[in-house]
Amino acid sequence: SGRLEFILADAAPALLLTDRETAGSLPDADVPVLLLDEVELPETARALPAVDAAQAAYVMFTSGSTGRPKGVVVTHRGVVNGLAGLADRVGIGVGSRVLAGTSVNFDVSVFEIFTALVEGGTVEVVRDVLVVGERGGWSGGVISTVPSVFAEVLEQVVGRVSADVVVFAGEALPGGL
């Protein structure tokens, strides 16, 4: 797609990590590709080099509300401090169960997945939060979603959703919800 072509050109990666199935859907970026499903890992893992807290952990491209996606560099310090702060505020700890239904294209996915893992919790990765409605309910520690999607799910599963915390982001929260 045009968005992927723009992001690859803007990010100018030195290497693309993907699998054979996904590689076929990527635009030609004239960048070396490493197919992870064809890599044979050694039996003994090597120690990773130390990382400075100010170094980039990842680059997340914005949704492009101005018409052009922008790459935002997120540092290791930002990730670690953000996860610790979120875990404390939301109450995620050892044994917490978090529903992860946000696309990995959005930074909320970092909260959903890694906050639980670094605190000793578990993560249930689902296609999206609509799965809760399809299953007829969910029980656990944290659900993170946008209000409009949760409102749709809630109508389908009234009384069959039990969560310690529901985190809303991405749009205005209606008073009725």
Side-chain angles (χ1 to χ4, degrees):
S1 79
R3 178 178 167 81
L4 275 178
E5 289 173 1
F6 173 82
I7 289 172
L8 286 171
D10 191 51
L15 176 70
L16 288 176
L17 301 175
T18 188
D19 60 20
R20 180 163 297 288
E21 182 180 347
T22 306
S25 65
L26 295 175
D28 184 23
D30 197 30
V31 174
V33 175
L34 177 61
L35 300 175
L36 295 173
D37 48 353
E38 295 182 3
V39 172
E40 290 189 31
L41 299 174
E43 289 185 32
T44 57
R46 295 183 303 156
L48 296 174
V51 175
D52 184 281
Q55 287 179 309
Y58 61 89
V59 176
M60 178 72 64
F61 276 78
T62 65
S63 60
S65 58
T66 62
R68 278 187 79 157
K70 292 173 285 306
V72 177
V73 176
V74 181
T75 65
H76 286 275
R77 177 181 293 117
V79 172
V80 170
N81 290 341
L83 294 180
L86 286 168
D88 185 50
R89 175 152 284 191
V90 177
I92 296 174
V94 174
S96 293
R97 186 165 172 240
V98 177
L99 185 71
T102 301
S103 167
V104 294
N105 292 316
F106 299 102
D107 59 352
V108 171
S109 67
V110 174
F111 157 70
E112 291 176 348
I113 296 169
F114 293 105
T115 304
L117 295 178
V118 300
E119 294 296 325
T122 60
V123 179
E124 181 181 352
V125 180
V126 295
R127 180 192 73 241
D128 55 41
V129 175
L130 295 174
V131 167
V132 171
E134 294 165 8
R135 290 182 182 172
W138 188 81
S139 179
V142 179
I143 295 176
S144 171
T145 185
V146 293
S148 59
V149 173
F150 193 70
E152 183 178 326
V153 168
L154 196 55
E155 291 175 10
Q156 299 171 10
V157 292
V158 171
R160 291 177 290 178
V161 170
S162 173
D164 298 330
V165 176
V166 178
V167 177
F168 292 114
E171 60 189 38
L173 177 61
L177 185 58

